[in-house]
Amino acid sequence: MKQAKVRLYVEHPLGAGQTVPLNRDQAHYLFGVMRMGAGDPLLLFNGQDGEWLCTVAHAGKRGGELLCQEQTKPLQMPPDLWLIFAPIKKARTDFIVEKAAEMGAAQIMPVQTEFTNSDRIRQDRLQAHALEAAEQCGGTYVPVVHNLQKLDRLLSDWPQDRQLMFCDEAEVGSAKRLGAATGDKWAILIGPEGGFSPKERTRLHAHPQAHVVALGPRILRADTAAVAAMTVWQQMLGDWA
Amino acid sequence: MKQAKVRLYVEHPLGAGQTVPLNRDQAHYLFGVMRMGAGDPLLLFNGQDGEWLCTVAHAGKRGGELLCQEQTKPLQMPPDLWLIFAPIKKARTDFIVEKAAEMGAAQIMPVQTEFTNSDRIRQDRLQAHALEAAEQCGGTYVPVVHNLQKLDRLLSDWPQDRQLMFCDEAEVGSAKRLGAATGDKWAILIGPEGGFSPKERTRLHAHPQAHVVALGPRILRADTAAVAAMTVWQQMLGDWA
């Protein structure tokens, strides 16, 4: 068989002998754009059944059918990690969502802080970015992108069993201290471009589950800080070990 | 005095009582775009004399003069780290250069690999990106962006006293092993989107100063891998300690 060049997320059960119907958009992409035909292989995942090697059983203009052949990867859930960030310019917000999927965050939470300009996001567009990044990076899980919420509110409702890694450019905190924290539920909070407000900073420093971590001597943009913070966390506590 | 809101790189000596002449572009930016006037403060750095708080001594349409008041930061050289990467799409190449400056690479080296499509880069444009990133991140040094060269040639001329951290997605290598390496001259090599060729991979694995490091279980895009690899290195061997 030819090598699979396409990797797609589908909302359909996958399993030995299972057929998967294609909608019009999927058929257009596979048969129109990618020029695939009957018998050609591709990889599917659905966030639940791992990754499956499938073949085109029927190729049509407005639809089609795929047939599951064999599982190529089991389901690999990312660590129970939230990435919380304040949305910035469109392109950089898109990058943060893409990077969160590649780096293995389970949930992506845009928040409004006192110094955040944006008061709305396109949740559907960001979710689509996360899905594309999951297709591209070989993951078997698509992180959930939440709607915009207020940081203030999120902190008031904070779950007692979740640790918070908080990246404060005004502070010096060694990542090594993270290792001493207990529990496997975590969140990483990246500050907005204008930094946290004094009120927010006071509240975060007083937060019982907060761990302050510094990311080097230079000021990182929010998208750089997101990747750097997830690297620090994944290496120390996540699935990179 | 008002707080400095502008931070500029200039090619001129900085020191107590030193005046700094402005060219037409700089005068347009400060006085036209940023609406600054006589007496207003700004921060300057030149890659050699640290960061200086300066004030506008004379504001003109086609030029002007700044006066150095006091040093606000000493020169902080980044570690002796090269970031070597294969150029990809324009926007992502720009991001890699920006991120290298923020993360503290001293030299940025685009290379052609067997699976790289691009056969030219705009070195001047990428150098300007590095400069802007240095202005933004608070660094006092602008990393040097080199012209495109062949990876093959770079490896043939490799300096014997420089270690090479090589990120191979086909390999599993713990970053912890890096700590055992000696010497403070390093380079990080990020593979191209299509991966290294079998010939390149064989050569890299046989390289006497090479250290293979894996960046987690998912496949990272080149720009994500660049930030993640620099984070791993800076935390273990660089100026984040």
Side-chain angles (χ1 to χ4, degrees), chain B residues 65-101:
Chain B
E65 202 173 61
L66 306 176
L67 177 62
C68 292
Q69 302 288 350
E70 55 171 332
Q71 195 184 43
T72 42
K73 269 185 199 172
L75 175 65
Q76 293 162 320
M77 291 293 288
D80 189 350
L81 175 67
W82 298 354
L83 180 72
I84 307 169
F85 72 100
I88 37 179
K89 283 179 214 152
K90 183 172 166 294
R92 291 190 190 266
T93 299
D94 291 352
F95 262 70
I96 290 182
V97 168
E98 175 189 293
K99 275 35 191 154

Side-chain angles (χ1 to χ4, degrees), chain A residues 52-99:
Chain A
W52 284 77
L53 176 67
C54 303
T55 48
V56 175
H58 168 67
K61 278 214 170 177
R62 293 188 190 82
E65 202 173 61
L66 306 176
L67 177 63
C68 292
Q69 302 287 351
E70 55 171 332
Q71 194 183 43
T72 42
K73 270 184 198 172
L75 175 65
Q76 293 162 320
M77 291 293 286
D80 189 349
L81 175 67
W82 299 354
L83 180 72
I84 307 170
F85 72 101
I88 36 178
K89 283 181 215 151
K90 184 172 167 291
R92 290 190 191 266
T93 299
D94 292 352
F95 261 71
I96 290 181
V97 168
E98 175 189 295
K99 274 39 191 151

